[in-house]
């Protein structure tokens, strides 16, 4: 099994590999993982659709289906677009993003990246998606995930599905209130427009039981 680069011009290891550098500055594959489990963004949620990948991507065939892996997130083709999905248990990748977090559970070292848990296999030097440890469910990402969005964390134990639904509905509400859509904008908006968008989005999420950071 090998990850299959989606772009033919990708012939070197991505700089975001987790690993320990050897004396000749090559990566030896040993994991380090000193992040917090979430990168600076975007923080995608299962069910979200994208038109193109935010980073280099790999096609990863698994059990007769094609998955795509990019920047710690997993996708499935959906028409001309790609849908963010939870990775199936047992699928493997050769790198994790540098924001992955070490998690020690009962003496076993796991890695948490974008809400999914991985175990590192020394023999194959890859990472295998595993079930979340008991008492450690997949943590949902913030309900908002855009450079203009507020950060909102579920405060009432909302499920990932509820987080996804609330995030999208409050995004729609903020677009209606402000007239600004950050997902389609091709210009730098006026600061007052951004403030109106963020205030509307934050108020909506707060009313639904989220801790909002402006």
């Amino acid at each position: 099994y090998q990850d299959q680069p989606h772009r033919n011009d990708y012939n070197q290891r991505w700089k975001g590999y987790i690993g320990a550098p050897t004396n000749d500055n090559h990566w030896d594959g040993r994991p380090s993982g000193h992040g917090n489990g979430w990168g600076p963004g975007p923080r995608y949620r299962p069910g979200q659709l994208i038109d193109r990948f935010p980073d280099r991507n790999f096609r990863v065939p698994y059990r007769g289906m094609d998955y795509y892996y990019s920047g710690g997130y997993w996708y499935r083709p959906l028409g001309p677009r790609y849908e963010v999905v939870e990775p199936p248990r047992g699928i493997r990748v050769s790198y994790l993003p540098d924001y992955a977090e070490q998690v020690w559970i009962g003496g076993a070292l796991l890695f948490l990246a974008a809400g999914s848990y991985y175990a590192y296999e020394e023999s194959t030097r890859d990472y295998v998606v595993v079930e979340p440890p008991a008492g450690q469910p997949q943590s949902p990402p913030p309900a908002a995930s855009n450079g203009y969005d507020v950060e909102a964390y579920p405060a009432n134990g909302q499920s990932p599905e509820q987080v996804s639904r609330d995030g999208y509905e409050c995004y729609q509400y903020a677009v209606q209130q402000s007239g600004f859509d950050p997902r389609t904008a091709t210009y730098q908006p006026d600061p007052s427009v951004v403030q109106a968008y963020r205030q509307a989005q934050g108020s909506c999420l707060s009313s639904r039981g989220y801790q909002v950071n402006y």
Side-chain angles (χ1 to χ4, degrees):
Y1 163 78
Q2 293 288 330
D3 287 348
Q4 300 182 32
H6 192 55
R7 292 177 52 182
N8 294 330
D9 62 349
Y10 186 66
N11 57 10
Q12 60 183 1
R13 280 189 162 188
W14 178 56
K15 65 182 181 180
Y17 266 63
I18 280 187
T22 58
N23 291 335
D24 58 0
N25 290 324
H26 289 85
W27 297 96
D28 68 358
R30 288 185 290 110
S32 53
H34 297 297
N36 63 1
W38 292 102
R43 298 179 178 182
Y44 292 145
R45 302 174 296 278
Q48 186 164 342
L49 296 175
I50 63 169
D51 294 313
R52 61 176 184 167
F53 296 108
D55 210 323
R56 297 188 186 274
N57 61 89
F58 294 86
R59 182 170 67 88
V60 186
Y62 187 71
R63 295 183 176 177
M65 303 177 72
D66 278 347
Y67 292 84
Y68 289 85
Y69 180 72
S70 176
Y73 292 88
W74 292 88
Y75 306 84
R76 285 294 316 283
L78 187 65
R81 308 179 77 188
Y82 297 91
E83 180 182 13
V84 181
V85 297
E86 291 186 8
R89 309 300 185 253
I91 199 168
R92 298 166 177 263
V93 290
S94 57
Y95 81 91
L96 292 181
D98 54 8
Y99 61 74
E101 177 185 9
Q102 284 188 2
V103 182
W104 288 93
I105 304 293
L109 174 62
L110 299 178
F111 293 86
L112 177 60
S116 296
Y117 286 87
Y118 299 79
Y120 180 71
E121 288 198 356
E122 187 73 38
S123 59
T124 56
R125 291 191 174 184
D126 57 16
Y127 299 86
V128 183
V129 175
V130 297
E131 289 283 348
Q136 300 284 331
Q138 286 183 311
S139 55
S145 59
N146 184 280
Y148 295 105
D149 289 343
V150 298
E151 285 194 351
Y153 294 85
N156 297 329
Q158 294 94 324
S159 67
E161 293 77 16
Q162 184 67 44
V163 170
S164 178
R165 184 163 54 251
D166 289 339
Y168 184 70
E169 291 176 357
C170 287
Y171 146 71
Q172 290 182 311
Y173 173 77
V175 171
Q176 293 169 357
Q177 294 297 309
S178 67
F180 171 64
D181 188 342
R183 287 157 177 75
T184 60
T186 57
Y187 61 94
Q188 181 68 34
D190 185 270
S192 63
V193 174
V194 175
Q195 182 178 8
Y197 172 86
R198 290 169 62 86
Q199 288 289 347
Q201 185 186 46
S203 296
C204 177
L205 289 166
S206 293
S207 69
R208 299 187 182 206
Y210 293 81
Q211 176 185 343
V212 177
N213 297 328
Y214 289 94

